[in-house]
Amino acid sequence: MSPILTISGLHKSFGKVEVLKGIDLTMQQGDVVSLIGSSGSGKTTLLRCVNLLEDFEQGSIELAGQSIGYKQDGGQRRRLSEREIARQRAMTGMAFQQFNLFPHMTAIRNVMLGLIKTKKMPKDEARAIAEKWLERVGMGQRRDHYPGQLSGGQQQRVAIARAIAMNPQIMLFDEVTSALDPELVAEVLAVVRDLANEGMTMLLVTHEMRFARDVSSKVVFMHQGRIHEEGTPEQIFGAPKTERLQGFLANSEF
Amino acid sequence: MNFSLFLTELWNARLSLLSGLGDTILISVASVILGSVLGVFVGLAMTYGAKWLRFVVRLYIDFLRGTPVFVLILACFYILSVVGLDLTAFQAGVLALTLFCSSHVGEIVRGALSAIPQGQTEAAKSVGLTFGQTFVYVLLPQALRQILPTWVNTATEIVKASTLLSIIGVVELLLATQQVISRTYLSLEFYLFAGFVYFLLNFVIEQAGRAVERRISIP
């Protein structure tokens, strides 16, 4: 089976600071990969490169057989047009740390926007899909509420529904529970866990080590812009090989 | 104060006062609409423009906001005719107020757009929206809500500033009133009356603004 996501030789700098120093990562359909590591290790940047919220200078990302963001043109590396990039972004779904729901739209309008504008669906069809996904994340009752009327956990569930309703090839989760009060973390993780169990391909950045251990098929430990160690959850959490990872895990909460 | 005399003279002068009021409204509406359209482009250029463009537009805003409207009006009327651009007093006045309005609206639009968290744009991008769609469906609706109260305030400022056009001979409400006074010598009565009409105009504008604000407020 050909991989759904192939990242090879990815380099990314912010000005003079190189934050990704050559990342290689492959994911099969249905894989759940967790990126762990201390802040500044580049894990969020890696995630944001996959849906082109960040440009990258070297290397390539291939998603479902398409080269993401750039093309080789007569030996030249060219950025794709904005329209093309917008289309590719819709192939990935992203959930953010700060939810980023559109505050002037109700929950269901948040979910419908991409379906109508990007996928050019008729309103009724978009509404039906949005209702289905809001139901799935347990927000069916609140679909006509505005984000300001919802708790953080509820907002994040709507945000996840918004991303997944687009039927992406892969879901990206960027520390989706970091901004939540402790008692709201569980409801969001339950939604993510459900999606994982259903075979959604997911790449997630998380600080919830216990959760990463439970849901992941592979765990990737990043350090200073490189993949320092990777393996199954059992290997990473049960028998960490490098000193750096042992130190990181010792300082992490479980 | 001779009230019945005032009422008689008011009735006699009703046509010229109404025509003055009409001009005041026309000047204000034209300046606010033209100034706002221009101002939105100014705000967009300030937010998304290239560095050189932002610099040029910054100069434009600072220059216009740092100049008294009065001077602006005189400049539009006298300087432009020197360079061979012959505008009527009415046109020159509207031009001055339009420029004044655009600098304020530009600054308001810039502020409102930059106050929207970056995450909004990122979330819109992540569901595949293009920049244009992101602006129209995500950024603009949020910015407009933020802009509205200040924008209404700018509109009332323009109504008040329109009185300055009397200096270059535009017979708007103030000059029309002064002409009536020079004929009737009822200065106190007619100035009070004009003041009351201006107050009424701005009161209506502000109430309308508040009503719209209530309608579109986000829960």
Side-chain angles (χ1 to χ4, degrees), chain A residues 13-136:
Chain A
S13 304
F14 288 116
K16 286 194 179 120
V17 187
E18 195 177 28
V19 284
L20 295 177
K21 303 170 181 167
I23 302 285
D24 298 289
L25 183 70
T26 316
M27 287 177 71
Q28 303 290 338
Q29 183 106 42
D31 274 358
V32 176
V33 174
S34 293
L35 301 171
I36 61 170
S38 48
S39 49
S41 61
K43 49 193 196 311
T44 289
T45 307
L46 174 58
L47 199 71
R48 289 165 60 88
C49 283
V50 176
N51 73 349
L52 293 165
L53 287 181
E54 302 289 353
D55 293 329
F56 49 93
E57 290 87 33
Q58 256 185 71
S60 68
I61 298 176
E62 216 173 84
L63 178 64
Q66 290 187 31
S67 174
I68 293 293
Y70 302 89
K71 63 177 175 193
Q72 291 297 330
D73 195 7
Q76 285 268 28
R77 184 173 183 266
R78 288 241 179 87
R79 198 167 190 273
L80 297 175
S81 69
E82 279 307 313
R83 186 161 292 277
E84 193 65 7
I85 283 178
R87 191 187 59 75
Q88 288 188 337
R89 281 203 184 101
M91 292 167 62
T92 63
M94 177 118 175
F96 299 86
Q97 186 176 351
Q98 300 293 342
F99 334 132
N100 297 344
L101 287 179
F102 308 129
H104 58 297
M105 297 180 188
T106 58
I108 193 159
R109 293 273 302 132
N110 263 277
V111 182
M112 287 166 66
L113 184 66
L115 297 173
I116 293 172
K117 299 304 169 196
T118 307
K119 298 218 154 183
K120 311 285 180 206
M121 273 184 198
K123 258 194 168 164
D124 297 341
E125 195 183 342
R127 182 174 295 278
I129 292 176
E131 276 173 5
K132 184 186 90 183
W133 280 107
L134 285 174
E135 208 64 57
R136 286 285 305 281

Side-chain angles (χ1 to χ4, degrees), chain A residues 48 51 53-54 96 100, chain B residues 118-127:
Chain A
R48 289 165 60 88
N51 73 349
L53 287 181
E54 302 289 353
F96 299 86
N100 297 344
Chain B
Q118 187 59 34
Q120 290 290 309
T121 306
E122 294 185 349
K125 281 179 175 174
S126 78
V127 288

Side-chain angles (χ1 to χ4, degrees), chain A residues 148-160:
Chain A
Q149 299 168 316
L150 301 173
S151 74
Q154 292 172 332
Q155 288 188 52
Q156 191 60 289
R157 280 145 64 194
V158 173
I160 292 172

